[in-house]
Amino acid sequence: MPRLKRRFNRMSHLFLPLSVLVVLLIINLVKGADYFKITLINGVLYGNIPNILFGASELVILSIGMTLVTAASRGQDISIGESGAISSAIFVQYVLRAGNVTVWTILAGFLISCLAGMVIGAFNGTLVSFFNVQPMVATLILFLGGRSIAFIIDGKVSPILANPISNQIGTVIPGVPIQTPIILTAVFIALVVVVLKTTNLRLYVESVGVNPSAARLNGINPKKVIFLTFLIMGVCSAVAGFIAVNKAGRHDSVNLLKFIMMDAILAVALGGNSLAGGKFSITGSIIGAYTIEVLNRTLLRLEVNPEAIKAFKAVFIIVLMIIASPVVSAYAGKLLDRIKGITTGYSPGQEVAVSAVDSSAKKEK
Amino acid sequence: MGPLNKGKPKTRMSNSTLLFIIAGIILILMYGIALISFPVSFRQFQTFFDFFNLNAALFIVTLGMCIVMIGGGIDISVGAVCGLVTMACALLLETGAGNIWGALFLSLGIGLAFGLMHGFLIAYLEIQPFIITLGGMFLAQGLLTTLHKEPLNVTKPAFVALRRYTIEIPWLGTVNRLGVFIPSEIKPSVFVVAALVVLYAILMKWSRFGRNLYAVGGNRQSARMLGINVKRTIFLSYVICGLTAGLSGFIFLLTTGAGNIGNGSLYEIKAIAANVMGGVMLSGGVGNLLGAPIGTLTLLTINELIRAAGVQSNLQAIVSGLLLYIFIVLQSIIMALRERRQFSLALPPWLRPPRAQDQKTAEDQR
Amino acid sequence: MQPEIILKMEGICKSFPGVRALDNVDFVLRKGEIHALMGENGAGKSTLIKIITGVYQKDAGQIYLEGRPVNFRSPQDAQNMGIGTVFQEIALCPNLTVAENMFIGRSRDAFVNWKQMNQRAAEMLDSLGIPASPTQELASCSIAVQQMIAIARAVDMDCRILILDEPTSSLDEDETKKLFALMRELKARGVGIIFITHFIDQVYEISDTITVLRNGQLIGEYPTAELSQIELVSKMMGKALSDISAIKKHEPPQTDESVPVFAAKNLSSAAGVRPFDFAIRKGEVNGFAGLLGSGRSESVRAIFAADKVTGGEVRVNGQMVKIKSPLDAMKQGIGYLPEDRKVDGIIDELSVRDNIILALQVLKGFFKPLSRKQAEEFADQYIELLDIKTPSLDTPIKSLSGGNQQKVILARWLLTHPMYLILDEPTRGIDVGTKVEIQKLVLKLAAEGMSLTFISSEIDEMLRVCSRLIVMKDREIVGELSGADLTEQNVMQLIAQGGE
């Protein structure tokens, strides 16, 4: 029992994003009971849920990187869409020039684009960690110039990525019932989990985000850790760019992953993470990212005027942030305590106080 | 103040002043380079005035953003609010429901509404400013597309007259190839910019609100201890920023004459960049309000310089990014050197030249 | 005749999540009285002060200001009613000018009259002899000057009640004298002063009345003249003094002629200590003595490479090694408990468990995380060993009391089994009980063969624990005392004469 309770406490920060997700799903169910229906078309699963997982794949991957950057550097990377556009442009050029496209070409192209993503991450990371520039200002540079770089790499407007393998990566591989981007996202999440389990990334990033000075005196180099998170962010952007360009089948340097940083930052905040750094929850951010996708699709499904979708989204975000705000939650907590106090006859605050005095009294003996 | 300071330690320049001076020097440097490289275009006064004529709205947005940034916040909805206002005013004028005054009040009203919302949620409910103003940005964009999707030209005669109205400066101008003297022209919106700069500079330097805002941006906890109403100060800063963004929409419409979905897009990013170039730091408490127009001018000069140089259009963004990069790194190095001097007493004396000398060498190297 | 009462507080209660900070506390301040508020850390002094100044809201109780019931909703409220405060941590804005810091938040005028403000500030600074210019940015003043500016601000506010929360902790003797003169002057003008300090001598020098708090409860109010120092201390601690004298000093093995565990030659750092030599043998406890700012903290920071090392050579067990970063030092078996626990020690949002294993984890390396089970075992082991009071392993360290936070950091270093442990002010700001525990622990560790450097502001504490003292003044070592020479008298003399 206590173990279960502890686990529950550890998960308590997920309460908000999860409940929002559930509310949205219920709204969808009310709208049409067949919401969760999944159909098998040509051996592939389709339906609302697969569509959501498919549509959110890039955002999920980017929000993972954004979570780490936010936690360590106490700021946000606003150039992720641009960096995805650049690294995927390199991928496309590599594949187009390779002539005969095999799985190995794609893989090599993918690895090269990841490398490009890391170079971009290193650029941003150097500015933030070694030159002490605020993340949003540092990444402003690539945000302004990034798409032009992508265009120059492309050499023309929207080069087309017409090969069967890319098509399969963007849609489905014959014989596999799940769309490939969903699988790639799952693999990526699994990789992140493995990294978090086998390294001290979490401890290092959180220590640096909470108190860089103390972290340094315990042998952690805050600059290196911040730099590392930007490198990871670069890889995330490259993977997201890779998925996006294969989905689209062409590289549109102007619109690929455009303004996705706003959604990624939103996902991080929805996941209960502080945008001022410190402790982080990647699970929360992933749920946040899917919530945003569900929200977008819900608004479409409710036949909201497409022009007004953004306004509805805004109202939703604002209401959500009000519910989650420290002032409102403190007030709600007090109210809850009072209700509990009425039902059980004592207030929990008092109980704690008594035990605190008890323990100090013991010390005196 | 002279006699009072006798025998007292030498006053060290504040970070705000230092960054402001650097910003000023960079602007002069940039404009100097432009004058030398493209004398034909840049030596015309009109080129200079056109910066204001064509970008009055950006100047105004930057001013509002500057105030929020000094308070340690950020408002990324300003571009979208500006765009929303242009469309709302265009609709109002075109449907004939209101006159120019009505449009002006509408623009201020929309700005005020956004400012109040942001200010209340950020100051009193303590929600992260980035997310709330992101919400504000989406809201403004959504409302804009809901209002009207197509570009909407304002044809109301009174408005067109106002839009076309220019003021000639008879004693400033250029002689064209035919030997005819062409006086420089400025638009009325330039006066709005000038008035706002003066007004806001006074506000930040001499008003209680302005000084409180610096205190809040510098150290919120201390500001509270000093008896400053932190929440109200932050609230007011967002209200002012919202109002300013609303006004900028009206000025934007006055400049382009049409409501359009793309109006004011990326203004939030440009305003942040301009402020950073003007020596206003995102971390708050540091920056001179006059840095906002100076930063904007630097940004515009750079863009104009790149355009005049005939750089291929898609290289333009890269070059401006590169220049921003150089600027940011320079700023960071200067601040780092300064920090080090403050904390390390063991620094050799040759690393401690007077400030002015530093800047000269920086200039010489260019 | 009893002087007029300005401030009366009755039955004040205040709870925080997990702690009852104040429990039914009464407090009375009279006109022209200097009232010392005494108690160990965690006794509730700061909370009481914050309620008087409107920073916190009381949960229960009543406050009367000159007989009228009042309620301070914000610091501004309190200020307007004539309550001036100088806080322990300087609550000024570093990015504003000196003059602004003295006057901001006070005027109701919509505009600032800079000329008048600067002039008034200059007069005030002059009359108090504070070496600062009104137009100077506060960040460019030294900490002591900033503190004095904070006092000048409070003084200038014509306050009826002045609260000084540890005002003297960063002032030297001369500055303290000036402050006391000022306090007496204000007292004569009828201002009621609440004075909080850790220096008991100062309490007896200046105060009229003492109120003692312990564990959030009122112990009593006493005229200073009628309460002996011993009584005061035992009331604050709530235990007999015999505990303290029970500590027996550990004498390091004198036979040890072998190479020192750690030795440095001409060591210097960017923080500005003069190049110094230093060595410590196995099982020895030594200390750096000197006033605040004498360079004692900077010296140990140089040993640990916490500041950038600019010169000198270091030997560990006779072997030349390069120590360029804290990590290098840790790898050589050196641990460092920093002076400022909040800024350099705890990672406040992280759990007690993470805070305990942090150093060990870093030493093990990025790719070798401890399993959750291992981490919990280690943490539990040291929580028991050091008697750390925490609701659970997952509790964020920031919700622990100061003493328990300090123990967590101690546990963090003990877990790495260092051969040489540096403790910079390990007993600052924690209750006497824990202080004694920590002193005992230091001696026990030394007996087990660990070398330790122990720094404290309280000289008698160092005399109890250290077998050798290195005395510093003005960032330079002025002498070394050990054996029979190690007396308070000698240390003082060295500090007083040293450097000439």
Side-chain angles (χ1 to χ4, degrees):
Chain A
M1 250 332 255
R3 167 163 287 190
L4 200 72
K5 200 175 165 190
R6 229 163 62 197
R7 170 153 295 175
F8 179 75
N9 276 341
R10 226 179 280 148
M11 305 295 259
S12 62
H13 62 273
L14 296 180
F15 179 71
L16 183 82
L18 272 177
S19 51
V20 171
L21 195 55
V22 168
V23 167
L24 281 174
L25 292 178
I26 289 172
I27 292 174
N28 275 301
L29 268 178
V30 170
K31 170 77 186 158
D34 59 346
Y35 185 65
F36 288 117
K37 200 175 144 201
I38 292 172
T39 45
L40 203 67
I41 304 171
N42 296 332
V44 182
L45 298 169
Y46 287 105
N48 285 314
I49 300 299
N51 282 349
I52 289 162
L53 297 178
F54 177 82
S57 32
E58 297 100 316
L59 183 59
V60 167
I61 291 167
L62 288 172
S63 66
I64 291 173
M66 189 66 89
T67 310
L68 292 173
V69 164
T70 301
S73 74
R74 305 166 168 190
Q76 286 75 36
D77 183 344
I78 59 169
S79 70
I80 53 173
E82 288 62 34
S83 104
I86 295 173
S87 46
S88 61
I90 290 172
F91 165 75
V92 169
Q93 284 310 307
Y94 180 82
V95 172
L96 289 184
R97 281 170 200 188
N100 185 23
V101 178
T102 64
V103 175
W104 298 112
T105 331
I106 300 281
L107 191 66
F110 170 68
L111 289 177
I112 290 171
S113 78
C114 283
L115 215 65
M118 283 167 85
V119 170
I120 294 166
F123 175 81
N124 287 333
T126 312
L127 277 175
V128 174
S129 59
F130 297 103
F131 284 103
N132 248 332
V133 180
Q134 288 150 330
M136 211 179 281
V137 176
T139 51
L140 188 65
I141 297 166
L142 269 174
F143 175 78
L144 288 176
R147 297 205 175 265
S148 300
I149 296 175
F151 181 83
I152 288 169
I153 295 170
D154 279 352
K156 59 172 183 171
V157 179
S158 298
I160 290 172
L161 196 61
N163 66 72
I165 300 171
S166 281
N167 188 33
Q168 287 174 9
I169 293 172
T171 54
V172 285
I173 299 168
V176 182
I178 298 168
Q179 296 167 90
T180 324
I182 301 176
I183 300 173
L184 289 178
T185 311
V187 170
F188 190 84
I189 293 174
L191 255 173
V192 170
V193 170
V194 169
V195 167
L196 284 176
K197 282 273 177 223
T198 57
T199 67
N200 282 314
L201 188 66
R202 174 180 292 276
L203 186 68
Y204 278 41
V205 164
E206 286 184 346
S207 302
V208 168
V210 174
N211 188 343
S213 163
R216 200 179 74 82
L217 288 180
N218 282 289
I220 300 172
N221 187 335
K223 289 182 195 294
K224 280 189 191 162
V225 173
I226 291 173
F227 186 78
L228 179 68
T229 60
F230 273 92
L231 279 190
I232 296 172
M233 181 82 250
V235 174
C236 292
S237 312
V239 175
F242 173 77
I243 293 178
V245 81
N246 282 312
K247 266 186 187 174
R250 58 201 202 77
H251 189 266
D252 178 353
S253 63
V254 178
N255 291 315
L256 191 84
L257 298 176
K258 195 173 191 181
F259 289 126
I260 200 165
M261 80 284 190
M262 299 291 183
D263 278 346
I265 296 169
L266 192 60
V268 172
L270 282 185
N273 295 298
S274 160
L275 294 187
K279 289 196 74 145
F280 66 86
S281 158
I282 283 186
T283 321
S285 297
I286 293 173
I287 295 174
Y290 282 121
T291 307
I292 293 170
E293 183 70 20
V294 173
L295 173 66
N296 286 339
R297 283 167 190 269
T298 307
L299 292 174
L300 280 176
R301 198 154 180 272
L302 294 177
E303 284 151 32
V304 170
N305 179 359
E307 275 78 44
I309 279 192
K310 270 204 164 159
F312 276 91
K313 195 171 162 185
V315 171
F316 176 83
I317 293 168
I318 291 169
V319 168
L320 191 61
M321 292 320 287
I322 291 174
I323 294 170
S325 77
V327 174
V328 172
S329 57
Y331 185 76
K334 254 187 216 162
L335 214 67
L336 214 70
D337 277 0
R338 203 166 298 163
I339 293 166
K340 267 189 203 158
I342 291 165
T343 50
T344 56
Y346 68 88
S347 98
Q350 261 169 0
E351 183 195 32
V352 178
V354 169
S355 64
V357 171
D358 271 356
S359 64
S360 49
K362 260 181 232 155
K363 205 164 62 192
E364 274 179 35
K365 278 171 194 167
Chain B
M1 284 315 304
L4 282 171
N5 282 345
K6 247 177 214 162
K8 291 282 161 71
K10 211 178 125 203
T11 302
R12 203 183 65 138
M13 199 185 283
S14 73
N15 282 343
S16 292
T17 316
L18 173 67
L19 285 172
F20 177 65
I21 289 174
I22 297 172
I25 289 172
I26 295 223
L27 172 62
I28 292 166
L29 219 68
M30 279 294 159
Y31 212 83
I33 293 171
L35 273 176
I36 294 163
S37 326
F38 305 99
V40 184
S41 130
F42 277 91
R43 218 185 283 154
Q44 290 177 15
F45 293 102
Q46 191 59 46
T47 310
F48 182 74
F49 290 131
D50 275 348
F51 281 152
F52 293 93
N53 286 341
L54 301 176
N55 300 291
L58 179 62
F59 276 95
I60 295 173
V61 163
T62 310
L63 284 174
M65 181 72 91
C66 179
I67 288 185
V68 168
M69 279 170 70
I70 287 173
I74 193 164
D75 184 347
I76 57 167
S77 73
V78 286
V81 171
C82 173
L84 171 65
V85 166
T86 62
M87 186 60 89
C89 288
L91 263 179
L92 184 80
L93 291 168
E94 271 309 88
T95 51
N99 58 9
I100 292 174
W101 288 110
L104 182 61
F105 280 119
L106 179 66
S107 68
L108 290 176
I110 292 174
L112 183 66
F114 275 91
L116 286 173
M117 179 184 81
H118 293 155
F120 176 74
L121 295 178
I122 293 165
Y124 293 99
L125 294 191
E126 295 169 24
I127 310 178
Q128 307 177 355
F130 190 93
I131 292 300
I132 279 305
T133 54
L134 176 69
M137 176 179 166
F138 285 161
L139 185 62
Q141 285 173 347
L143 289 176
L144 168 57
T145 44
T146 316
L147 276 180
H148 199 82
K149 263 195 107 171
E150 312 305 323
L152 186 65
N153 261 312
V154 181
T155 51
K156 199 182 178 81
F159 183 81
V160 174
L162 178 64
R163 200 168 104 58
R164 297 244 170 94
Y165 182 76
T166 51
I167 301 150
E168 292 186 354
I169 308 177
W171 36 272
L172 263 184
T174 28
V175 181
N176 74 359
R177 256 178 260 146
L178 300 173
V180 180
F181 179 79
I182 302 168
S184 297
E185 294 177 338
I186 50 175
K187 296 277 183 187
S189 49
V190 177
F191 289 104
V192 179
V193 174
L196 275 184
V197 169
V198 172
L199 183 70
Y200 283 7
I202 290 173
L203 193 71
M204 294 311 288
K205 176 77 183 170
W206 281 283
S207 81
R208 187 155 58 93
F209 160 75
R211 300 323 294 174
N212 287 358
L213 192 60
Y214 271 101
V216 170
N219 187 334
R220 190 171 293 201
Q221 194 58 34
S222 292
R224 194 168 125 75
M225 297 285 204
L226 290 175
I228 292 168
N229 190 332
V230 173
K231 290 183 176 177
R232 192 170 64 202
T233 308
I234 294 177
F235 173 71
L236 278 177
S237 75
Y238 284 94
V239 171
I240 290 177
C241 183
L243 266 175
T244 318
L247 182 62
S248 81
F250 184 78
I251 298 295
F252 196 108
L253 190 64
L254 214 54
T255 314
T256 63
N260 194 344
I261 293 179
N263 281 355
S265 76
L266 284 185
Y267 263 29
E268 61 283 345
I269 301 286
K270 284 182 185 165
I272 293 171
N275 276 317
V276 169
M277 288 181 154
V280 183
M281 293 186 80
L282 263 176
S283 48
V286 177
N288 188 321
L289 189 108
L290 295 177
I294 285 189
T296 319
L297 267 179
T298 312
L299 190 76
L300 294 172
T301 309
I302 289 174
N303 286 346
E304 186 61 24
L305 197 60
I306 295 166
R307 207 188 55 77
V311 175
Q312 201 191 334
S313 69
N314 46 58
L315 270 176
Q316 283 182 11
I318 301 178
V319 176
S320 64
L322 209 65
L323 283 170
L324 187 64
Y325 171 77
I326 294 170
F327 186 87
I328 288 168
V329 168
L330 187 77
Q331 208 181 42
S332 125
I333 290 174
I334 290 172
M335 291 307 278
L337 281 178
R338 189 177 168 79
E339 290 274 290
R340 208 166 292 165
R341 171 158 354 112
Q342 186 180 349
F343 290 116
S344 109
L345 297 163
L347 206 75
W350 54 267
L351 261 176
R352 289 180 241 167
R355 196 71 255 155
Q357 207 178 316
D358 256 11
Q359 279 149 7
K360 265 207 196 101
T361 47
E363 263 183 77
D364 291 344
Q365 277 163 9
R366 288 215 152 222
Chain C
M1 190 199 119
Q2 194 75 318
E4 188 189 335
I5 288 173
I6 344 177
L7 178 74
K8 189 167 166 192
M9 303 174 84
E10 277 177 359
I12 303 295
C13 296
K14 175 76 188 172
S15 295
F16 296 109
V19 202
R20 168 151 283 199
L22 285 178
D23 185 11
N24 207 12
V25 169
D26 302 336
F27 182 78
V28 171
L29 181 69
R30 293 160 200 90
K31 219 174 160 175
E33 172 187 62
I34 298 180
H35 196 136
L37 189 56
M38 300 299 288
E40 291 300 303
N41 270 69
K45 292 172 301 184
S46 295
T47 313
L48 189 66
I49 293 308
K50 285 184 174 162
I51 286 173
I52 301 176
T53 53
V55 176
Y56 292 156
Q57 314 301 310
K58 60 186 183 327
D59 293 345
Q62 189 53 262
I63 305 176
Y64 301 92
L65 193 64
E66 291 176 336
R68 282 177 295 113
V70 286
N71 194 10
F72 305 122
R73 281 179 302 273
S74 68
Q76 203 163 18
D77 249 17
Q79 259 184 35
N80 293 341
M81 293 193 215
I83 297 178
T85 323
V86 176
F87 282 103
Q88 182 177 1
E89 281 141 29
I90 296 166
L92 297 177
C93 288
N95 59 329
L96 302 185
T97 69
V98 168
E100 276 194 288
N101 268 299
M102 289 172 65
F103 293 98
I104 202 163
R106 294 170 49 188
S107 142
R108 303 266 90 213
D109 298 342
F111 288 92
V112 179
N113 184 341
W114 283 86
K115 204 174 159 192
Q116 194 192 345
M117 184 174 80
N118 284 337
Q119 204 160 352
R120 272 182 66 190
E123 281 163 16
M124 194 71 202
L125 294 171
D126 259 356
S127 74
L128 298 179
I130 301 171
S133 136
T135 54
Q136 188 177 8
E137 199 180 26
L138 187 82
S140 62
C141 300
S142 71
I143 298 294
V145 171
Q146 291 188 20
Q147 180 89 56
M148 300 198 69
I149 290 165
I151 294 167
R153 174 186 164 95
V155 167
D156 189 62
M157 283 171 44
D158 279 335
C159 45
R160 284 172 291 176
I161 298 173
L162 177 64
I163 299 165
L164 300 172
D165 188 357
E166 297 262 11
T168 53
S169 56
S170 55
L171 302 187
D172 66 26
E173 210 173 316
D174 219 37
E175 289 165 329
T176 307
K177 268 200 188 114
K178 268 189 200 141
L179 174 68
F180 282 179
L182 194 68
M183 283 167 72
R184 289 195 184 98
E185 162 75 26
L186 293 171
K187 177 186 160 161
R189 284 193 215 163
V191 176
I193 299 176
I194 302 175
F195 180 52
I196 298 177
T197 182
H198 271 127
F199 301 107
I200 290 176
D201 289 343
Q202 291 183 358
V203 171
Y204 281 87
E205 188 180 337
I206 191 113
S207 74
D208 306 307
T209 319
I210 298 174
T211 288
V212 180
L213 297 180
R214 192 171 76 229
N215 284 332
Q217 279 164 330
L218 176 72
I219 300 302
E221 190 200 282
Y222 316 89
T224 308
E226 291 167 23
L227 188 72
S228 74
Q229 292 208 16
I230 300 287
E231 275 176 304
L232 171 62
V233 172
S234 69
K235 282 191 194 307
M236 283 163 63
M237 287 164 36
K239 64 166 94 182
L241 282 172
S242 56
D243 243 27
I244 294 175
S245 47
I247 290 184
K248 270 235 168 62
K249 185 143 66 182
H250 159 75
E251 285 300 327
Q254 292 297 323
T255 52
D256 207 345
E257 292 293 317
S258 63
V259 279
V261 167
F262 177 93
K265 214 170 180 183
N266 281 326
L267 194 63
S268 65
S269 79
V273 257
R274 306 267 158 75
F276 66 99
D277 297 346
F278 174 80
I280 188 164
R281 281 173 297 137
K282 191 171 159 63
E284 180 185 343
V285 183
N286 67 11
F288 283 89
L291 300 175
L292 202 84
S294 62
R296 51 175 209 221
S297 290
E298 287 78 359
S299 302
V300 288
R301 284 178 72 91
I303 292 170
F304 192 68
D307 298 317
K308 193 172 185 289
V309 175
T310 50
E313 53 178 59
V314 170
R315 278 167 204 277
V316 171
N317 290 325
Q319 294 284 321
M320 266 282 260
V321 290
K322 283 239 179 296
I323 295 183
K324 285 192 159 171
S325 70
L327 186 59
D328 292 344
M330 285 160 67
K331 281 182 181 154
Q332 294 299 334
I334 304 174
Y336 166 63
L337 184 139
E339 181 187 13
D340 194 330
R341 181 176 66 236
K342 281 215 178 80
V343 174
D344 291 332
I346 61 169
I347 314 271
D348 61 2
E349 278 175 39
L350 293 198
S351 64
V352 170
R353 178 192 59 241
D354 284 345
N355 269 290
I356 289 179
I357 63 159
L358 184 63
L360 179 69
Q361 187 69 84
V362 170
L363 267 177
K364 278 181 72 109
F366 185 73
F367 292 102
K368 285 181 189 151
L370 293 165
S371 71
R372 192 172 191 92
K373 203 170 143 236
Q374 260 179 319
E376 284 180 358
E377 268 170 22
F378 280 136
D380 275 333
Q381 187 189 337
Y382 278 87
I383 284 175
E384 203 185 306
L385 185 77
L386 297 180
D387 193 22
I388 299 171
K389 294 200 176 52
T390 169
S392 82
L393 289 179
D394 286 315
T395 310
I397 191 171
K398 66 179 169 191
S399 55
L400 265 55
S401 75
N404 282 314
Q405 289 180 2
Q406 195 69 288
K407 282 185 190 169
V408 168
I409 303 190
L410 209 53
R412 175 194 292 173
W413 289 112
L414 294 183
L415 188 55
T416 65
H417 297 293
M419 117 214 130
Y420 172 35
L421 183 59
I422 302 165
L423 304 173
D424 193 354
E425 298 255 25
T427 57
R428 183 161 87 168
I430 60 179
D431 59 276
V432 169
T434 314
K435 262 183 197 179
V436 173
E437 275 177 56
I438 287 178
Q439 291 169 19
K440 281 182 183 161
L441 181 73
V442 166
L443 295 173
K444 186 174 145 240
L445 290 169
E448 286 167 6
M450 193 185 289
S451 312
L452 292 109
T453 293
F454 184 93
I455 296 180
S456 168
S457 285
E458 289 165 47
I459 184 78
D460 46 329
E461 192 176 55
M462 291 185 75
L463 291 172
R464 264 201 305 278
V465 176
C466 303
S467 59
R468 186 161 61 96
L469 279 187
I470 296 146
V471 184
M472 297 200 72
K473 188 189 183 186
D474 295 338
R475 295 171 185 267
E476 214 167 3
I477 293 178
V478 291
E480 222 178 278
L481 297 168
S482 60
D485 294 338
L486 196 52
T487 63
E488 190 168 340
Q489 185 70 30
N490 286 344
V491 175
M492 294 300 174
Q493 224 156 33
L494 263 177
I495 291 174
Q497 302 166 344
E500 261 103 76

